[in-house]
């Protein structure tokens, strides 16, 4: 039996469109900042990718700043004006959480960093709007909103312009692009300090020669992902996920499907299996030929209960018993049923051993 990759929220397979665009980029010698013909050809490729990403996330091309990924893009939270506090949604990814900054009432402004779709549970949560507009977090009003749209892009409709956000972070490898490239989206006119200092690339907002190969792959993947989304490909993915959910939930009535009933990404299933540790599940499934995750990829390897699940009200034991299965287009009903059988059998064995 061949292996089955069911960890799409950690990273996705490279799309053929991205591979082809990257191969073309490899044949270009020019630096996009050079004025000669070779440089202009590289620049044209860079700007094409910028337009593709802008179209996929619903912003203007000059609002797209290419980075090495969402984590680097989130560094903008440490480049805000002096005295600006950063409020962070507790279910947000570590790359936002790491920037939590509260100055104890002396703040001159607030930025709310908010994860639109959660990587561990798939739960989609709109940022809290205040009654008079703006963003309200607890009793604090945020002047600016940074949205983490990493897991949403390509899976659910999203428009930066419509969202009202001031900034957003994106990562290419979550929608079929290569790893190590992403973007910071910044609303036109927003005054933020450059992510890095030097040559003034990326409209003076991220210095350093651009990763043209990765960026070309990101642009092609963004365009293809937007096309697939419009064609309804993810509606089919949701149907397969729902089959998977009923297969796993049928094994015992004690499992908890996290986020069931809430708005959710079409591809994600987060299941708490009482009496069976998440890490043990991942290892058992790996040996059986399936790649799944116990939590976010970034926290795997570190044995600590998920902050996301804890903040949703699950206790420490429950948070440590969660498995995340995340799928994508091309994963079939047969595939998830095969996984369901293997998981159910392994769970029964684990419970018998514990009894
Ligand atoms: N935000 C979310 C919701 C994610 O799932 C991830 C990756 O797991 C990131 C941010 C960070 O992306 P990257 O590691 O590509 O910078």
């Amino acid at each position: 039996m061949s292996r089955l990759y069911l960890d799409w929220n950690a990273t996705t397979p490279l799309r053929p469109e991205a591979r082809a665009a990257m191969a073309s980029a490899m044949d270009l010698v020019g630096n996009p900042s050079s004025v000669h013909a070779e440089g202009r050809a590289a620049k044209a490729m860079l700007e094409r990718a910028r337009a593709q990403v802008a179209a996929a996330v619903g912003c203007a091309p000059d609002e797209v700043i290419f980075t090495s990924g969402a984590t680097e893009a989130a560094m903008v939270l440490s480049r805000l004006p002096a005295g600006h506090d950063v409020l962070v949604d507790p279910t947000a990814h570590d790359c936002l959480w790491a920037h939590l900054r509260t100055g104890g009432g002396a703040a001159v402004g607030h930025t709310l960093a908010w994860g639109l779709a959660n990587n561990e549970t798939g739960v989609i949560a709109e940022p809290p709007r205040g009654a008079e507009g703006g963003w309200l977090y607890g009793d604090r009003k945020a002047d600016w909103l940074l949205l983490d749209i990493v897991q949403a892009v390509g899976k659910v409709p999203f428009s930066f312009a419509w969202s009202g956000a001031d900034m957003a972070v994106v990562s290419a490898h979550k929608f079929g692009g290569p790893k190590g490239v992403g973007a910071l989206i910044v609303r036109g006119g927003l005054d933020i300090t450059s992510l890095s200092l030097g040559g003034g690339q990326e409209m003076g907002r991220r210095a350093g020669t651009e990763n043209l190969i990765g960026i070309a792959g990101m642009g092609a993947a963004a365009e293809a992902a937007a096309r697939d989304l419009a064609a309804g490909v993810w509606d089919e993915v949701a149907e397969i996920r729902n089959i998977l959910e009923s297969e796993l939930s049928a094994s015992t009535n004690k499992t908890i499907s996290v986020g069931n009933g809430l708005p959710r990404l079409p591809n994600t299933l987060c299941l708490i299996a009482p009496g069976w540790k998440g890490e043990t599940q991942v290892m058992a499934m790996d040996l059986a030929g399936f790649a799944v995750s116990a939590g976010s990829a970034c926290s795997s390897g570190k044995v600590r209960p998920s902050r996301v699940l804890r903040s949703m009200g699950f206790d420490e034991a429950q948070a440590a018993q969660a498995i995340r299965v995340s799928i994508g287009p091309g994963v079939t009903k047969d595939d998830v049923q095969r996984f369901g059988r293997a998981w159910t059998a392994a769970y029964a064995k684990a419970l018998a051993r514990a009894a």
Side-chain angles (χ1 to χ4, degrees):
M1 272 286 176
S2 58
R3 282 191 64 86
L4 193 53
Y5 184 76
L6 304 173
D7 202 11
W8 286 57
N9 286 10
T11 197
T12 58
L14 190 69
R15 298 190 69 118
E17 297 89 346
R19 186 184 292 269
M22 289 162 77
S24 309
M26 281 183 210
D27 290 332
L28 289 190
V29 65
N31 182 325
S33 298
S34 300
V35 293
H36 45 59
E38 288 80 357
R40 292 197 304 277
K43 176 86 172 165
M45 186 173 272
L46 178 68
E47 294 313 316
R48 177 171 149 74
R50 201 184 304 283
Q52 288 169 315
V53 171
V57 304
C59 69
D62 63 3
E63 293 176 319
V64 176
I65 297 156
F66 287 114
T67 64
S68 63
T71 303
E72 186 195 338
M75 286 292 292
V76 72
L77 293 169
S78 63
R79 302 283 189 276
L80 301 171
H84 219 93
D85 272 0
V86 182
L87 312 170
V88 188
D89 144 31
T91 67
H93 190 269
D94 276 350
C95 75
L96 305 187
W97 188 246
H99 293 281
L100 177 72
R101 188 168 69 234
T102 48
V108 297
H110 292 92
T111 290
L112 174 59
W114 189 267
L116 184 62
N118 187 268
N119 51 305
E120 291 182 42
T121 63
V123 171
I124 299 172
E126 296 291 334
R129 282 181 193 270
E132 302 133 34
W135 313 102
L136 203 59
Y137 193 64
D139 56 359
R140 273 171 291 187
K141 201 165 179 291
D143 312 276
W144 289 346
L145 173 70
L146 177 142
L147 272 186
D148 177 340
I149 56 170
V150 167
Q151 294 290 345
V153 173
K155 296 188 191 119
V156 290
F158 172 80
S159 158
F160 179 75
W162 280 91
S163 73
D166 300 281
M167 295 165 272
V169 299
V170 185
S171 223
H173 67 108
K174 307 288 183 169
F175 54 84
K179 296 163 192 45
V181 57
L184 168 65
I185 315 294
V186 177
R187 175 170 61 73
L190 197 74
D191 188 20
I192 51 135
T193 310
S194 184
L195 291 175
S196 52
L197 304 177
Q201 288 91 343
E202 295 296 295
M203 298 152 282
R205 292 183 145 171
R206 196 265 190 182
T209 301
E210 292 89 347
N211 166 13
L212 188 59
I213 296 167
I215 289 170
M218 179 177 185
E223 187 176 274
R227 193 186 56 226
D228 277 0
L229 179 63
V233 165
W234 291 86
D235 299 339
E236 293 161 33
V237 173
E239 280 171 31
I240 306 284
R241 187 273 313 274
N242 295 345
I243 293 171
L244 172 70
E245 183 165 44
S246 31
E247 293 266 325
L248 301 198
S249 306
S251 68
T252 150
N253 57 11
K254 286 184 298 181
T255 56
I256 302 167
S257 183
V258 179
N260 183 319
L262 297 174
R264 249 189 319 172
L265 290 174
N267 75 321
T268 309
L269 175 65
C270 175
L271 198 85
I272 295 173
W276 198 17
K277 281 213 158 183
E279 289 116 51
T280 320
Q281 296 186 52
V282 171
M283 281 189 273
M285 291 300 98
D286 188 31
L287 286 173
F290 304 95
V292 294
S293 170
S296 76
C298 318
S299 63
S300 58
K302 291 181 221 162
V303 185
R304 64 180 156 122
S306 155
R307 166 170 49 79
V308 173
L309 295 176
R310 293 287 285 124
S311 73
M312 289 175 81
F314 295 104
D315 65 31
E316 205 154 306
Q318 287 174 313
Q321 291 163 343
I323 189 172
R324 177 187 73 189
V325 188
S326 52
I327 62 174
V331 175
T332 65
K333 182 177 165 188
D334 279 358
D335 290 337
V336 298
Q337 286 178 330
R338 181 153 70 88
F339 175 80
R341 283 192 299 274
W343 184 87
T344 305
Y347 189 16
K349 263 197 210 155
L351 291 179
R353 259 199 309 271

